[in-house]
Amino acid sequence: MPQRQPFWNSRHPCLPSLATKGYDGDGFRAEIVDRGAKPVIPNKSNRVTLHSFSKRAYKGRNVIERCFCRLKDFRRVATRYDKLARNFLAAIHLAAIVAYWIN
């Protein structure tokens, strides 16, 4: 059985690469830099060599994460009741509109 490739091997290069502290490894950072992206990963508290990162860009990651969390409040989206992708996308659109309207 062939071994699966890590998820970052299948992605195209991008400009900033946002991640949590759990991905603050030297190997992962080197892979991001080799692909031409800039790692935006906060340092772990026990890291010896500190790396700089954009706190402003990292805060933008939180906005996206909260949006996904809000969408998962809707049972139909969280459990994916719909079999067809177009119906699921329509449910996501409706949930996003309702979530935006409530706030």
Side-chain angles (χ1 to χ4, degrees):
M1 176 185 264
Q3 192 174 14
R4 291 184 64 180
Q5 294 290 329
F7 74 93
W8 62 82
N9 283 350
S10 62
R11 298 201 176 211
H12 298 289
C14 58
L15 297 177
S17 182
L18 302 168
T20 61
K21 289 182 181 184
Y23 294 99
D24 184 31
D26 291 331
F28 189 71
R29 283 181 179 272
E31 182 69 31
I32 292 171
V33 171
D34 289 344
R35 292 187 164 272
K38 181 182 180 205
V40 181
I41 304 170
N43 298 305
K44 286 185 179 179
S45 60
N46 62 350
R47 182 172 257 297
V48 177
T49 58
L50 298 177
H51 298 283
S52 63
F53 69 98
S54 171
K55 291 183 181 181
R56 189 174 192 180
Y58 188 72
K59 284 183 180 182
R61 179 193 153 276
N62 185 280
V63 173
I64 301 299
E65 195 169 315
R66 283 184 296 170
C67 177
F68 276 104
C69 184
R70 179 62 76 125
L71 286 175
K72 288 181 182 179
D73 288 342
F74 295 89
R75 179 183 235 175
R76 183 180 193 115
V77 174
T79 57
R80 188 156 184 191
Y81 284 150
D82 301 310
K83 290 183 179 180
L84 297 177
R86 64 183 165 97
N87 293 347
F88 181 64
L89 183 62
I92 289 176
H93 286 166
L94 287 173
I97 290 169
V98 170
Y100 181 76
W101 188 38
I102 289 173
N103 281 340

